[in-house]
Amino acid sequence: NGSCGFTDEIWLRILGILGDSKELAWSGAVCRRWYRISRDAQLWTAINITGIVDACKLAELFKVCRINL
């Protein structure tokens, strides 16, 4: 079942070792339990978007977010 007898807290620690947000997102494809655990807010404190979004689009996004806050 993909759990190896570990608790969700142990899996959170294991998945927390993954340094890349892409790896973390892909880990959610293993099974439903890993999907749920991989979406935990504790794991998503920072996201590296280098090479994904250019600086101009990011600046526009921040401007829109500030307006809607």
Side-chain angles (χ1 to χ4, degrees):
N1 65 2
S3 68
C4 300
F6 296 154
T7 64
D8 286 359
E9 291 78 24
I10 297 296
W11 281 119
L12 274 171
R13 287 183 180 207
I14 292 169
L15 294 178
I17 294 170
L18 299 176
D20 186 286
S21 55
K22 184 190 276 186
E23 291 174 351
L24 183 56
W26 275 105
S27 70
V30 172
C31 65
R32 288 181 184 153
R33 184 176 184 197
W34 280 32
Y35 176 83
R36 181 178 44 78
I37 295 169
S38 71
R39 295 328 189 242
D40 191 286
Q42 295 175 47
L43 299 173
W44 294 94
T45 57
I47 300 172
N48 182 357
I49 58 171
T50 304
I52 298 173
V53 177
D54 70 35
C56 292
K57 289 181 182 176
L58 187 58
E60 288 177 33
L61 177 63
F62 284 140
K63 200 182 309 181
V64 170
C65 289
R66 273 188 245 148
I67 292 169
N68 291 324
L69 289 177

